[in-house]
Protein backbone atom coordinates (compact mmCIF):
# COMPACT_ATOMS: atom_id res chain seq x y z
CA UNK A 1 0.00 0.00 0.00
CA UNK A 2 2.78 2.42 0.88
CA UNK A 3 4.55 1.68 -2.40
CA UNK A 4 1.51 2.73 -4.43
CA UNK A 5 1.10 5.88 -2.36
CA UNK A 6 4.68 6.86 -3.17
CA UNK A 7 4.24 6.00 -6.84
CA UNK A 8 1.07 8.07 -7.16
CA UNK A 9 2.68 11.01 -5.34
CA UNK A 10 5.73 10.81 -7.62
CA UNK A 11 3.57 10.65 -10.75
CA UNK A 12 1.62 13.72 -9.63
CA UNK A 13 4.80 15.68 -8.86
CA UNK A 14 6.51 14.82 -12.16
CA UNK A 15 3.31 15.59 -14.09
CA UNK A 16 2.93 18.98 -12.41
CA UNK A 17 6.58 19.78 -13.21
CA UNK A 18 6.04 18.84 -16.85
CA UNK A 19 2.80 20.84 -17.15
CA UNK A 20 4.42 23.93 -15.63
CA UNK A 21 7.38 23.50 -17.99
CA UNK A 22 5.10 23.25 -21.01
CA UNK A 23 3.18 26.35 -19.87
CA UNK A 24 6.44 28.27 -19.48
CA UNK A 25 7.73 27.24 -22.91
CA UNK A 26 4.51 27.86 -24.82
CA UNK A 27 2.86 30.73 -22.93
CA UNK A 28 5.83 32.23 -21.03
CA UNK A 29 3.87 31.61 -17.82
CA UNK A 30 5.84 31.09 -14.62
CA UNK A 31 4.27 30.13 -11.27
CA UNK A 32 3.77 33.07 -8.90
CA UNK A 33 6.59 32.02 -6.56
CA UNK A 34 9.19 32.44 -9.32
CA UNK A 35 7.95 35.42 -11.31
CA UNK A 36 10.31 37.93 -9.70
CA UNK A 37 13.42 35.83 -10.27
CA UNK A 38 12.85 34.28 -13.69
CA UNK A 39 14.02 36.59 -16.46
CA UNK A 40 13.76 34.10 -19.34
CA UNK A 41 10.60 32.00 -18.91
CA UNK A 42 11.05 29.83 -22.02
CA UNK A 43 14.49 28.74 -20.91
CA UNK A 44 13.16 28.12 -17.40
CA UNK A 45 10.39 25.96 -18.86
CA UNK A 46 12.88 23.93 -20.87
CA UNK A 47 14.81 23.33 -17.66
CA UNK A 48 11.63 22.26 -15.88
CA UNK A 49 10.87 19.79 -18.67
CA UNK A 50 14.41 18.41 -18.47
CA UNK A 51 14.08 18.03 -14.70
CA UNK A 52 10.74 16.25 -15.01
CA UNK A 53 12.13 13.85 -17.59
CA UNK A 54 15.25 13.13 -15.56
CA UNK A 55 13.35 12.68 -12.33
CA UNK A 56 10.86 10.36 -14.03
CA UNK A 57 13.65 8.24 -15.50
CA UNK A 58 15.43 8.10 -12.17
CA UNK A 59 12.41 7.20 -10.07
CA UNK A 60 10.51 4.82 -12.31
CA UNK A 61 13.48 2.89 -13.70
CA UNK A 62 15.42 3.03 -10.44
CA UNK A 63 14.12 2.92 -6.87
CA UNK A 64 10.43 2.58 -7.75
CA UNK A 65 10.84 0.02 -10.53
CA UNK A 66 8.71 -3.05 -10.05
CA UNK A 67 11.06 -5.25 -12.06
CA UNK A 68 14.79 -5.76 -12.36
CA UNK A 69 16.19 -4.97 -15.77
CA UNK A 70 19.78 -4.73 -16.92
CA UNK A 71 19.10 -1.08 -17.79
CA UNK A 72 18.64 -0.26 -14.13
CA UNK A 73 22.39 0.08 -13.77
CA UNK A 74 22.67 2.88 -16.30
CA UNK A 75 19.34 4.66 -16.60
CA UNK A 76 18.83 5.97 -13.03
CA UNK A 77 22.22 7.75 -12.86
CA UNK A 78 21.59 9.16 -16.35
CA UNK A 79 18.15 10.32 -15.21
CA UNK A 80 19.66 12.05 -12.20
CA UNK A 81 22.23 13.72 -14.47
CA UNK A 82 19.43 14.99 -16.73
CA UNK A 83 17.57 16.23 -13.64
CA UNK A 84 20.63 18.15 -12.42
CA UNK A 85 21.22 19.57 -15.91
CA UNK A 86 17.60 20.79 -15.93
CA UNK A 87 18.13 22.48 -12.58
CA UNK A 88 21.25 24.18 -13.97
CA UNK A 89 19.25 25.42 -16.99
CA UNK A 90 16.60 26.78 -14.62
CA UNK A 91 19.31 28.60 -12.69
CA UNK A 92 20.64 30.11 -15.92
CA UNK A 93 17.14 31.35 -16.72
CA UNK A 94 17.29 33.52 -13.63
CA UNK A 95 20.30 35.41 -14.93
CA UNK A 96 20.06 38.13 -17.57
CA UNK A 97 20.91 37.05 -21.08
CA UNK A 98 23.49 38.63 -23.30
CA UNK A 99 22.66 41.98 -24.74
CA UNK A 100 22.41 41.91 -28.51
CA UNK A 101 25.48 43.28 -30.22
CA UNK A 102 24.63 46.65 -31.68
CA UNK A 103 26.46 48.26 -34.58
CA UNK A 104 28.82 51.03 -33.54
CA UNK A 105 27.28 54.50 -33.52
CA UNK A 106 27.93 56.53 -36.64
CA UNK A 107 30.77 58.98 -36.36
CA UNK A 108 29.76 62.59 -36.79
CA UNK A 109 30.90 64.05 -40.03
CA UNK A 110 31.78 67.66 -40.33
CA UNK A 111 30.64 69.41 -43.44
CA UNK A 112 33.49 70.47 -45.60
CA UNK A 113 33.47 74.06 -46.65
CA UNK A 114 34.83 74.85 -50.04
CA UNK A 115 36.73 78.07 -50.53
CA UNK A 116 34.99 80.18 -53.15
Amino acid sequence: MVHWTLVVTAVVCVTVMAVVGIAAVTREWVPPFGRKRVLRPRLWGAGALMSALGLGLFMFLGPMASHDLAVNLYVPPAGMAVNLAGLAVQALAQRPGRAPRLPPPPTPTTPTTSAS
Side-chain angles (χ1 to χ4, degrees):
M1 180 67 182
V2 174
H3 177 74
W4 284 108
T5 305
L6 291 175
V7 169
V8 169
T9 304
V11 166
V12 168
C13 289
V14 169
T15 303
V16 167
M17 280 176 57
V19 167
V20 169
I22 290 170
V25 169
T26 59
R27 303 280 185 191
E28 295 187 2
W29 180 84
V30 178
F33 58 83
R35 286 187 187 147
K36 289 182 183 177
R37 293 182 301 227
V38 175
L39 300 175
R40 296 182 280 175
R42 289 183 191 259
L43 184 64
W44 186 87
L49 284 172
M50 285 176 62
S51 290
L53 173 69
L55 200 57
L57 285 174
F58 172 74
M59 285 192 300
F60 299 116
L61 295 178
M64 292 189 183
S66 60
H67 47 71
D68 288 331
L69 295 175
V71 242
N72 283 357
L73 284 176
Y74 303 108
V75 176
M80 189 52 71
V82 171
N83 180 22
L84 293 176
L87 292 175
V89 169
Q90 284 181 308
L92 286 176
Q94 296 178 10
R95 299 176 52 107
R98 284 185 167 183
R101 188 176 286 246
L102 300 174
T107 57
T109 57
T110 57
T112 56
T113 56
S114 58
S116 309

